[in-house]
Amino acid sequence: MSPALTSAIENRPLIEQILKQLGDTVSNIPASPEQCGLLSGLSGNLLFLYKLSAFDASLVDQDVFDEKLDFLQQYLAAHIDHNNLSNGLSGQGWLLEFLNQSQGEDYDLEMCEEIDQLLQESLSETPWTGEIEMVLGLGGVAVYAARRLLKSPSSELFETLVSHFEQAAIQTSEHTLAWSQPATSVYRFNKDNKEVPEFNLGLAHGVPGIIAALLPALKIPALYQRTKSLLVQSCDWLMAQELDKDDFISCFASSCNEQHNSRLGWCYGDLTIALTLARVGRALELPSYLDKAKAISLHAAGRDRHNGMVNDAGLCHGSAGIALIFQLLYQELNEPLLQDTANSWLDITLDGYREKGLEGFYMYSGLSQEHEEDMGLLMGYTGIGLCLLSALTGDTDWVDSLLMA
């Protein structure tokens, strides 16, 4: 657990007011079989409502929560053909396992065994030709597998995932490797020449996300050496992609195929690259990775809303998400400036509410170029609510759902 943010403690009455309003709004979202996902649907809403109830049970109607959870479980079978984290079995399974583990001694080891089997069957293709990132691909299955690994002795999912990542890796030099976006990936920037390797540098869709997805496999003795080799070679490659600080505001671009500034956020940019390097450095006891993570983090702490390209409050690439990531970076690196920066971004988030109420939390749409209401985990109220709870309590036990723990 990380320390609560000073700004959150000082603004506790305001945050509690916001949380009540967010809780009421999210509770009233109609349930839909097509919108049960973790990143933008019912599963994410339930995660927020559960954490909100744990903070203050009076803020959530337990009957409404139970009704929504029953609805999710009722329609789980409708998603058996989709293994992804965003709206499929990996994300919904992660939530069910998270809630299951929260029961302490009443944990049911068998509850998610069918999901294990279905996900394992979905990965049977060899060599793997589907998506490899976290939102729709292998990285998202790893999010579920890592959560299961906390309680379940089975390592079958990770054995398959490590094999797929080994086969998909491109050896970029004698001692480094990386993963290119598959030719058929919907996340390729260059769709005209699909045979040219494209190395994405975002946590959501790129190499940092695969590194973070592999990290829990170090806990499996039979996979330790293979996983360590993948992690070290890919982290060394990643650090070599750093931009010239004299020419760019950011340390890394969004893709190593083009040199440009990246935004501050969870999905792309320096913050989650630093967090991933710090986590690997701590797990493998590699001080050079921790030093690099610290340098990147401190550089990012000097950026503002304008040069960070921050247009809203959402978890994905908004002020609340940035506050959360700096909170996590302080937890990993113990640099006081990082905690101060987390407080500053939380203040920016709260100022948005002071000025416009919940409209201050609207998502900025790149399509319409306007701010629009959103309820989801990545872009909307659900994620902002979770960030506010973590700022106020220091409880970040849910952030593994986004490859940050």
Side-chain angles (χ1 to χ4, degrees), residues 86-322:
S86 179
N87 57 14
L89 275 183
S90 295
Q92 294 169 49
W94 180 92
L95 174 74
L96 294 175
E97 182 66 9
F98 178 85
L99 296 177
N100 190 13
Q101 292 180 12
S102 299
Q103 302 307 305
E105 294 181 357
D106 293 328
Y107 175 75
D108 181 358
L109 182 62
E110 299 178 355
M111 191 180 86
C112 288
E113 285 185 348
E114 185 176 0
I115 296 177
D116 293 348
Q117 295 168 7
L118 290 168
L119 288 175
Q120 184 63 39
E121 290 170 7
S122 76
L123 301 179
S124 61
E125 178 186 351
T126 304
W128 181 258
T129 59
E131 298 281 7
I132 58 176
E133 48 77 70
M134 74 158 286
V135 175
L136 297 178
L138 297 177
V141 180
V143 169
Y144 168 81
R147 173 54 66 168
R148 281 288 277 160
L149 200 60
L150 297 177
K151 289 285 188 178
S152 171
S154 175
S155 61
E156 187 177 11
L157 271 174
F158 263 119
E159 289 169 359
T160 302
L161 289 166
V162 169
S163 294
H164 284 331
F165 282 130
E166 285 174 332
Q167 293 169 15
I170 295 175
Q171 204 70 43
T172 54
S173 73
E174 183 180 357
H175 300 295
T176 62
L177 59 80
W179 290 272
S180 169
Q181 291 287 36
T184 58
S185 174
V186 299
Y187 297 111
R188 278 187 71 90
F189 295 121
N190 182 0
K191 293 182 169 62
D192 295 328
N193 192 343
K194 296 182 178 181
E195 302 309 313
V196 175
E198 180 178 292
F199 300 104
N200 187 298
L201 297 180
L203 185 76
H205 307 304
V207 174
I210 295 174
I211 292 170
L214 281 165
L215 191 52
L218 290 172
K219 299 175 184 176
I220 303 170
L223 296 177
Y224 181 85
Q225 288 300 332
R226 292 164 62 191
T227 303
K228 179 181 179 181
S229 176
L230 290 172
L231 290 173
V232 171
Q233 292 188 76
S234 55
C235 284
D236 287 350
W237 175 89
L238 178 60
M239 289 188 292
Q241 309 313 308
E242 190 169 4
L243 299 170
D244 187 335
K245 289 188 179 66
D246 293 331
D247 298 325
F248 296 92
I249 296 169
S250 65
C251 296
F252 293 87
S254 299
S255 166
C256 77
N257 298 67
E258 299 179 10
Q259 292 199 333
H260 57 261
N261 288 312
S262 60
R263 70 199 319 165
L264 286 178
W266 164 82
C267 51
Y268 285 96
D270 296 350
L271 293 180
T272 43
I273 288 176
L275 183 60
T276 301
L277 289 173
R279 294 179 58 222
V280 175
R282 194 165 303 285
L284 294 177
E285 298 182 350
L286 294 172
S288 61
Y289 289 10
L290 290 165
D291 291 343
K292 177 57 68 176
K294 185 177 296 187
I296 297 167
S297 301
L298 294 175
H299 180 78
R303 297 176 67 183
D304 57 27
R305 294 182 68 172
H306 175 69
N307 61 40
M309 294 169 263
V310 181
N311 296 312
D312 55 25
L315 199 165
C316 186
H317 44 255
S319 57
I322 294 170

Side-chain angles (χ1 to χ4, degrees), residues 315-352:
L315 199 165
C316 186
H317 44 255
S319 57
I322 294 170
L324 171 68
I325 300 169
F326 272 112
Q327 185 179 5
L328 296 171
L329 284 167
Y330 173 72
Q331 179 181 339
E332 290 287 345
L333 300 169
N334 197 32
E335 278 288 330
L337 179 60
L338 302 179
Q339 189 177 40
D340 294 342
T341 306
N343 280 297
S344 296
W345 282 103
L346 178 61
D347 287 338
I348 290 172
T349 305
L350 297 177
D351 285 344

Side-chain angles (χ1 to χ4, degrees), residues 48-60 62 65 389:
F48 167 58
L49 293 175
Y50 178 80
K51 296 300 296 182
L52 182 60
S53 178
F55 169 71
D56 183 346
S58 71
L59 297 178
V60 177
Q62 188 64 42
F65 179 87
L389 282 169

